[in-house]
Amino acid sequence: MDIYLIAILVLFALAVIDLSVGVSNDAVNFLNSALGSRVATRRTILIVASLGVIVGALFSSGIMEVARKGIFNPEMFSFADVMIVFLAVMIADVILLDTFNTFALPTSTTVSIVFELLGAATAVAILHVTHTPGAPPFIEFINGQRALIIVGGIGLSVVAAFVVGSIVQFVSRLLFTFEENSRTAGARVVWGALALTMITYFLFMKGIKGASFVTPESVDYVQGHTLIILVVVFALWLVVTTAIQRSGRHPLAFVVLAGTFALAMAFASNDLVNFVGVPLAGLASWRAWSASGADPELFLMEALKEPVRGDTIYLLGAGLVMAITLWVSSKARSVTQTGIDLSRQDEGAERFRPGPVSRGLVRAFIASGESVRALTPENWRTEIARRFAREERAAEMRDAPAFDLVRASVNLSVASILIAIATSFKLPLSTTFVGFMVAMGSSLADRAWGRDSAAYRVAGVLSVLTGWFVTAAAAFLLAAFIAVMLSTFGAAALLVLVGLVAFILYRSYRYHATRTDREERSRARDSSSFEHQAHLLADQVSEVLSTCSISVDESVHGLLEGNRVLLDQARRRIDDLEPNLARKELVFVRVLKRVRPEIDDRLLGHLEILACQQDLYQTVDTIVDMARSHVFNAHARLTPEVAERLGEFNHVQKEAVERHVEAWREDLSPTRLADDLARLERLLTDMTEIAVGNLYKKTRPVKFTTLLLTILTELADFVRELDRLDQLRQKYIVRPTG
C-alpha cells in the first residue's frame, strides 16, 4: 500500500481522537454557564449543546483555509514535506490536549494548532534549507504576517473578553439585582429579546458566509437587508420572551439554553479547523499529488493556495463525533468543573493555591477599589451595594447553583458574539480564551471573588493563563521535534509515534478514571444533615489515620534504607491529603452554617476531632520533610541501635493504627491501644537516649544528632496525637452500652 495513503488514514484516525480530546477540553466554553446556573437537567443541556455543535460544524467551511495556508506558504513545500508537517501537528495536538484534559485544565486548542503548524513548518523548512544548496531562507516558507495577526488576535481577545464581560455583567446586575420580583419582569423580557436578537444576528447572519450549503446569492440578500431582518427578529423574540414570562417561566432560562446552543455552534464553526482542518488539507494534498503523477519530493503544493469550501459530509461527521464526545467523556466534565469552581458565587474548597503574584494583584485591586470608593458619592455606594446584595436564603441554600441566570446569560451572550465576530473575519479566535475570560470578568464584576476567595481565584486564572502560554511553547517544540523525527526516520518513526500516542491515551485514561472515582467518593460525603456528617466522621478519620500511617512507614523505610523513591512517595501522599482535609472541614462548617444546630458538647467534640486530624497531618508532614532532608542531604546512616528500634517503632505504629482504624469503623470500646501507645513511647525514649549518648561520645556530628532528635520529637507528637484522637473517639463517638 502507498505509504502516503497510510499517512492519510493515520491523519483521519488522529482527527477522530483529536475531535474527542479537543471537545473534552473546549466543552468548558459552552457548558459552564448552563451547568453552573442549573438552568435545566444535564441531559437537556447536553442535547441543546449537541445540536449547536452539529449545526456549527456546517458553518465552519470558510475558516478551513487556516490549516492550508494560514501559517505557512504551501507553494514552498513539496507534498512529502507537507505530509510530515500535518502528521507532526496531529500527533502533537493529541498528546498536548489529552495531557491538559487529564489534569482538568482548560487550554486553547487554537493556540495549540497555530503553534504546532508553526513549529512543524519551521522545522521542515530548516531541514529543507540545510540539505538543499541555493534554497531561499527558511523564513520565506512561513506566512509570518498572517501568523502574527492570528497570535495578536488571540492576545487581544483575552483583554477584550475580560473587559466586555465585566462591563456587561456590572450593568446587568444593576438592572436585575439578585432578587426576582415584578419590577424586573419587563427588564427580563426586553433583555432576553435583545440578547437573543444579538445572538441570532452574529451567529446566523455573520456566520452564514462560512456555511458550506449556502449559496452566494443568499448571502448577498441577507447582507443587503440586515436592518429590516434585525427589526423583524427582535420583534419575534420579544413576542417569545413575553409569552415565556406570562407562562410563569423565566425568560432568561430560555436565553441561557439558546446561548448554550449559540456558543456551542460558535465553538464548532470556529474551532473545527483545529481538529479536522489539517487532515482535510492532507487529503486535498494527496488528491492533487495523486492526479499529477509527480515525484512527492518535487511536487510543490500550489493547490493549497486555492480557495476551499469544506465537504458537508465530512463536516457533519465531525460534528457528530464532537456531539457524542459531550455525552461520553468524563474528562469534559472535569475540565468544566474547573471553570465553574473559579466563577462560582459562593465560598467553597479552592483548588489553586495563591502565590506572590496573585496576592499582589489582589492587594492592588483592593487598594484601587478603595480609591474609587472614596471618590464615589455615598448615595451611589449605598444604592450599588443594595443592588448587589444577595438574598440570605439563596446564600445558604444547600447545593446552590454556582451563579444565577443573569450571569449565565451574560457569559453566553457576550462570548458567542465575540467568537462569531472573529469567525466572520476568518480569524481562528480562541474560544477557550474568550469563554473563560468572559466568565472571569463577569465573576469579578458580580463580586463573586470576595476577600476570602480572591487570592485563590486569581491564582486559578493565572494558572490557566500560564497553561496557555505553556501550550504555545510546548506545541511549537513538540511538533518541531516530531517533524524532525519523521523527516529523519520516516515510516519507522511514524509507527513508534502512533504507538506512543496509544500508550499515552491509555495511561491518561487510567489516571483520570482513578482520580475521578476518588473525587466522586469525596463529593458523595457532602450532606446538609449534621447527623449524617457525624456519621461519616469515623470513616473520614479512618482514612486520615491510614494515610498518615503509610506516610510514616514510607518515611521510616526511606530513612533506614536511604531510599529517595519511598520518600518521594510519602511526600506525594501527604500532599494529596492536605486538600482533602481542608475540604472536609469546609463541608462540615458549611453544614453547620445551614442547619445551625445547638452548640453542645457533641458539636464541639466533632470540631476538636477535625482539629486533631489537622495536627496529625502537620506532624506527619514534618516527619516526611525531616526524613527527606536527612537522606537527600546525604547525612550518615543511623546507628544499628537506633535503626533497630526505629524499625520496631514502625512495625508497632502500623499495628496500632490498624487497631485504631478498626476501633473507629466498628465503634469499639477501648482495646489494646493504650498498650501500643505505651510501647511506642518507650521505644522513642530509648532512641532519644541513644542519640544523645552518641553525641556526648562524639560518634556523631551535631547536625546529624539535631536532625535525628527533631524526627524523634515529631514521632513522639505523632504518638500523642493518636492517643488524643482515641480519647476524643471514646468521649464523643462511642455509643453507651446497656
Side-chain angles (χ1 to χ4, degrees):
M1 182 180 288
D2 183 2
I3 184 63
Y4 292 109
L5 180 58
I6 295 176
I8 294 297
L9 296 176
V10 170
L11 278 178
F12 275 87
L14 290 172
V16 174
I17 299 172
D18 205 30
L19 281 166
S20 177
V21 297
V23 173
S24 296
N25 187 284
D26 280 6
V28 65
N29 305 328
F30 50 87
L31 292 181
N32 271 14
S33 294
L35 293 174
S37 63
R38 310 277 178 82
V39 68
T41 64
R42 185 178 184 88
R43 181 173 179 273
T44 300
I45 293 170
L46 288 179
I47 290 174
V48 172
S50 300
L51 293 174
V53 164
I54 294 171
V55 174
L58 299 177
F59 279 77
S60 65
S61 175
I63 206 167
M64 287 297 164
E65 295 181 10
V66 173
R68 298 161 60 97
K69 59 183 179 180
I71 305 301
F72 61 90
N73 296 315
E75 71 275 11
M76 302 293 292
F77 290 82
S78 68
F79 169 68
D81 288 338
V82 296
M83 291 305 296
I84 290 174
V85 170
F86 292 154
L87 284 168
V89 167
M90 293 305 295
I91 292 171
D93 205 49
V94 170
I95 293 174
L96 275 179
L97 294 184
D98 185 69
T99 300
F100 274 89
N101 290 348
T102 300
F103 293 99
L105 285 173
T107 191
S108 172
T109 54
T110 305
V111 168
S112 65
I113 201 73
V114 167
F115 280 90
E116 284 156 1
L117 283 166
L118 190 60
T122 300
V124 171
I126 292 175
L127 289 174
H128 179 79
V129 171
T130 302
H131 294 94
T132 307
F138 84 90
I139 196 65
E140 294 187 14
F141 288 71
I142 308 301
N143 190 349
Q145 183 178 3
R146 179 64 175 172
L148 287 175
I149 290 175
I150 293 172
V151 173
I154 292 173
L156 182 62
S157 71
V158 175
V159 179
F162 188 84
V163 172
V164 175
S166 300
I167 293 173
V168 175
Q169 177 60 39
F170 183 79
V171 174
S172 300
R173 186 59 68 196
L174 287 177
L175 179 64
F176 291 104
T177 77
F178 282 100
E179 299 179 4
E180 298 289 343
N181 52 53
S182 58
R183 291 176 297 177
T184 61
R188 290 196 295 270
V189 168
V190 175
W191 164 250
L194 181 62
L196 291 167
T197 302
M198 294 167 66
I199 290 171
T200 303
Y201 171 68
F202 284 107
L203 284 186
F204 289 97
M205 298 183 187
K206 286 289 188 182
I208 198 172
K209 292 186 294 183
S212 59
F213 53 86
V214 177
T215 63
E217 293 76 15
S218 300
V219 174
D220 293 338
Y221 179 83
V222 169
Q223 291 179 340
H225 300 80
T226 298
L227 184 59
I228 296 175
I229 294 175
L230 279 178
V231 172
V232 173
V233 169
F234 177 74
L236 290 174
W237 283 127
L238 194 61
V239 171
V240 171
T241 52
T242 301
I244 294 173
Q245 177 67 37
R246 290 183 176 178
S247 69
R249 299 178 180 177
H250 204 307
L252 293 186
F254 181 76
V255 172
V256 171
L257 289 176
T260 299
F261 174 88
L263 198 52
M265 178 180 165
F267 150 75
S269 64
N270 189 278
D271 274 19
L272 191 61
V273 65
N274 301 341
F275 315 125
V276 301
V278 168
L280 289 178
L283 179 62
S285 302
W286 180 79
R287 286 173 173 170
W289 167 74
S290 298
S292 71
D295 187 331
E297 300 286 347
L298 301 176
F299 183 72
L300 299 180
M301 296 311 304
E302 292 275 355
L304 292 182
K305 294 182 63 178
E306 301 298 325
V308 60
R309 293 185 68 83
D311 191 314
T312 301
I313 298 299
Y314 286 121
L315 299 181
L316 181 61
L320 290 173
V321 172
M322 291 192 292
I324 293 171
T325 301
L326 289 178
W327 289 86
V328 301
S329 173
S330 62
K331 292 183 180 181
R333 181 173 299 197
S334 297
V335 176
T336 301
Q337 190 60 43
T338 297
I340 293 175
D341 287 344
L342 287 174
S343 58
R344 68 178 184 271
Q345 194 75 35
D346 292 325
E347 61 188 2
E350 302 293 346
R351 176 182 171 187
F352 298 93
R353 297 183 180 181
V357 177
S358 62
R359 295 188 187 106
L361 287 173
V362 170
R363 286 194 294 268
F365 275 116
I366 290 175
S368 302
E370 293 296 335
S371 300
V372 173
R373 178 183 175 83
L375 297 175
T376 305
E378 179 64 30
N379 58 332
W380 287 24
R381 295 203 302 266
T382 302
E383 180 60 20
I384 291 174
R386 187 184 69 81
R387 306 293 289 181
F388 277 80
R390 298 190 69 203
E391 298 175 277
E392 184 178 356
R393 179 186 61 81
E396 295 185 357
M397 282 176 56
R398 172 180 179 261
D399 200 26
F403 39 80
D404 65 0
L405 293 174
V406 173
R407 178 135 64 96
S409 64
V410 169
N411 289 346
L412 291 164
S413 301
V414 173
S416 61
I417 290 169
L418 290 176
I419 294 168
I421 291 174
T423 303
S424 68
F425 289 104
K426 296 186 179 180
L427 286 174
L429 190 73
S430 170
T431 57
T432 308
F433 272 123
V434 172
F436 184 81
M437 293 309 293
V438 167
M440 295 304 102
S442 65
S443 301
L444 179 64
D446 217 21
R447 302 185 179 181
W449 297 358
R451 288 204 174 194
D452 290 335
S453 62
Y456 301 91
R457 305 286 177 87
V458 172
V461 173
L462 292 177
S463 296
V464 174
L465 287 173
T466 302
W468 289 334
F469 290 111
V470 169
T471 299
F476 183 93
L477 295 174
L478 182 59
F481 173 76
I482 293 174
V484 171
M485 292 296 100
L486 290 171
S487 297
T488 306
F489 301 105
L494 179 60
L495 181 63
V496 171
L497 288 168
V498 170
L500 178 63
V501 168
F503 175 75
I504 290 174
L505 291 174
Y506 170 75
R507 288 300 300 269
S508 68
Y509 170 79
R510 292 289 302 272
Y511 171 82
H512 185 267
T514 301
R515 193 188 65 185
T516 301
D517 181 62
R518 184 171 64 247
E519 291 175 351
E520 289 294 333
R521 289 201 308 269
S522 180
R523 275 194 290 268
R525 292 171 176 166
D526 292 7
S527 170
S528 62
S529 165
F530 177 80
E531 294 292 341
H532 188 56
Q533 285 295 318
H535 176 72
L536 291 174
L537 191 60
D539 284 340
Q540 296 171 358
V541 173
S542 299
E543 181 182 341
V544 172
L545 282 169
S546 297
T547 302
C548 288
S549 178
I550 294 172
S551 299
V552 171
D553 176 55
E554 291 172 338
S555 299
V556 170
H557 273 100
L559 180 61
L560 294 176
E561 301 167 10
N563 190 327
R564 291 188 293 179
V565 174
L566 276 177
L567 293 168
D568 285 338
Q569 288 179 1
R571 178 73 276 161
R572 288 192 295 270
R573 192 182 306 279
I574 205 67
D575 284 344
D576 289 341
L577 180 60
E578 181 185 15
N580 291 337
L581 271 176
R583 188 173 185 278
K584 291 170 187 174
E585 291 185 355
L586 181 63
V587 168
F588 194 78
V589 172
R590 291 180 71 185
V591 168
L592 300 184
K593 178 181 176 182
R594 286 193 294 265
V595 302
R596 295 174 179 168
E598 294 296 328
I599 301 296
D600 57 14
D601 288 345
R602 184 184 56 161
L603 166 61
L604 297 176
H606 290 164
L607 293 176
E608 192 173 352
I609 290 171
L610 290 173
C612 187
Q613 291 180 80
Q614 274 289 352
D615 292 341
L616 187 63
Y617 154 76
Q618 291 169 4
T619 298
V620 177
D621 182 66
T622 305
I623 292 171
V624 174
D625 276 346
M626 291 296 99
R628 292 179 84 245
S629 177
H630 192 105
V631 173
F632 278 64
N633 292 333
H635 288 295
R637 293 290 183 91
L638 303 182
T639 61
E641 300 91 345
V642 173
E644 180 183 355
R645 286 167 175 77
L646 189 56
E648 185 180 354
F649 174 93
N650 192 42
H651 177 72
V652 175
Q653 73 86 10
K654 288 194 294 183
E655 290 185 345
V657 170
E658 287 176 4
R659 277 190 276 272
H660 215 320
V661 169
E662 183 182 4
W664 275 92
R665 287 178 174 166
E666 303 298 329
D667 202 11
L668 302 176
S669 297
T671 56
R672 289 178 48 194
L673 290 174
D675 294 338
D676 290 333
L677 297 176
R679 186 179 174 190
L680 291 172
E681 289 177 351
R682 286 196 300 271
L683 288 169
L684 287 169
T685 301
D686 290 346
M687 285 186 283
T688 303
E689 290 175 353
I690 294 172
V692 174
N694 288 336
L695 179 63
Y696 286 127
K697 295 175 185 177
K698 298 184 179 180
T699 58
R700 286 291 184 271
V702 174
K703 181 70 175 177
F704 172 90
T705 304
T706 302
L707 194 60
L708 178 58
L709 289 174
T710 302
I711 294 174
L712 295 176
T713 300
E714 294 301 328
L715 288 173
D717 287 342
F718 174 73
V719 174
R720 283 191 288 270
E721 293 301 334
L722 291 178
D723 187 27
R724 177 185 166 204
L725 205 49
D726 190 52
Q727 292 177 20
L728 292 171
R729 180 187 66 84
Q730 295 182 46
K731 184 176 181 180
Y732 297 109
I733 303 298
V734 176
R735 300 184 182 92
T737 57

